[in-house]
Amino acid sequence: MKMFGYSLRAAALALALITTIAQPLDAQDDARSCLQAGRKSLKAARALEAEERVAMQEEALVLFRSVGSRWPDALEERAQALIEAGRLLQRLGRTDEALASYREVASFNAGAARRVEALAAAASLHRRRKDPAAATACLEEIVQGYPQENKAVAEALLDLGALARDADRFATAVKLARRVLDEHPGLWRQNVDACQLWLGVLVRCHQWDEARNRLERLDALMKERFESTKSWESVQRWMSRLSARKSLTPVPVVDPS
């Protein structure tokens, strides 16, 4: 009875949603309402069983893709719809289609913020697919092409640093961490991540003395930059949790009690 009751609830929810967006290509008044309808479809899909959920996700894709075909001049909504379609396709394991959706954002004047968002999403997917060269190309495009996008550039530099570290290009990884600290002094989260990247490389290379000295300097730098800001408590908390700090903290040689 419980399963039957759940099926009835799922069917009722699906019917209600289908009634709302029964004519996705005709009933939506503008690009924004079409985008919102796609989001509603995805939200409703979470409560459905597998078959109904897949059907609702496909409905969302139809809605997202129709934004650009019906309102090609609504650049903001068109770009956002492509990005959300890409993320959905990625969750469904259709990664080639997801990348194509992200790339399409670069084919029209979507605005810097949306183009950077699409490039970052594509870079993340390339990293998941074990394609560091493609990921690097996307990240470098962010850094070189959109210097005004301060936070996105800092995060792209950190991702490039992580790729360099993973490829054992340790000097490059440290250089990129230092660049984040030098060029983006107001971004506390990215500053903390740069500290971890730098210290993590030193620990990995067994540069213990240099790592301890650098940790002391970075602690002082973070205090200088953020002690008087509302972010200071968060900075302290995350700096205390650095994995590199744990590796550098002596442990007493004693028997457990």
Side-chain angles (χ1 to χ4, degrees):
M1 292 297 292
K2 184 176 180 180
M3 292 181 60
F4 181 69
Y6 177 81
S7 296
L8 286 177
R9 289 194 300 274
L13 179 58
L15 180 60
L17 183 64
I18 291 170
T19 300
T20 303
I21 54 172
Q23 296 176 309
L25 300 180
D26 299 322
Q28 306 309 320
D29 296 329
D30 54 30
R32 184 176 296 276
S33 65
C34 193
L35 180 58
Q36 291 295 338
R39 290 168 176 166
K40 289 179 182 178
S41 181
L42 275 186
K43 184 177 181 180
R46 298 172 192 163
L48 302 178
E49 295 181 347
E51 187 174 346
E52 292 91 348
R53 182 170 61 252
V54 170
M56 206 60 66
Q57 289 170 334
E58 291 294 336
E59 182 69 40
L61 284 174
V62 170
L63 288 160
F64 289 145
R65 286 167 168 166
S66 70
V67 172
S69 61
R70 296 190 64 201
W71 298 281
D73 295 329
L75 301 181
E76 174 69 18
E77 291 81 4
R78 181 180 171 189
Q80 190 60 54
L82 285 167
I83 291 169
E84 295 190 31
R87 288 173 178 156
L88 173 55
L89 288 163
Q90 194 170 334
R91 290 198 300 273
L92 295 174
R94 294 156 60 177
T95 55
D96 287 339
E97 292 178 72
L99 286 170
S101 191
Y102 297 142
R103 282 195 297 268
E104 190 175 341
V105 178
S107 69
F108 58 93
N109 188 21
R114 289 290 170 258
R115 291 164 73 94
V116 164
E117 187 178 358
L119 283 167
S124 177
L125 180 50
H126 283 307
R127 290 183 70 181
R128 289 175 178 271
R129 286 170 37 130
K130 311 297 183 185
D131 190 348
T136 296
C138 292
L139 295 168
E140 288 181 343
E141 185 173 348
I142 293 173
V143 173
Q144 296 169 12
Y146 303 92
Q148 74 278 16
E149 297 295 320
N150 191 41
K151 182 179 177 181
V153 168
E155 291 176 349
L157 289 170
L158 288 167
D159 286 341
L160 286 168
L163 286 168
R165 177 202 60 209
D166 294 345
D168 293 342
R169 293 186 291 113
F170 299 123
T172 298
V174 168
K175 181 180 178 180
L176 288 163
R178 184 194 294 270
R179 185 173 171 184
V180 172
L181 292 168
D182 290 345
E183 297 179 7
H184 305 277
L187 300 175
W188 76 264
R189 290 181 184 274
Q190 289 72 24
N191 272 228
V192 170
D193 287 344
C195 292
Q196 172 57 39
L197 176 60
W198 193 341
L199 293 167
V201 168
L202 293 175
V203 168
R204 185 165 171 179
C205 293
H206 299 173
Q207 299 291 324
W208 307 114
D209 290 340
E210 171 61 19
R212 291 188 183 93
N213 291 334
R214 183 57 56 187
L215 175 58
E216 184 176 348
R217 295 177 188 178
L218 290 173
D219 279 337
L221 179 63
M222 294 302 101
K223 184 176 182 179
E224 176 187 340
R225 287 184 175 178
F226 301 109
E227 186 178 24
S228 62
T229 72
K230 63 181 181 180
S231 303
W232 178 231
E233 184 177 341
S234 296
V235 172
Q236 287 181 295
R237 182 169 65 255
W238 288 108
M239 286 295 290
S240 71
R241 296 177 180 177
L242 295 180
S243 60
R245 185 185 300 278
K246 296 177 182 178
S247 299
L248 296 169
T249 302
V251 178
V253 182
V254 296
D255 292 335
S257 57

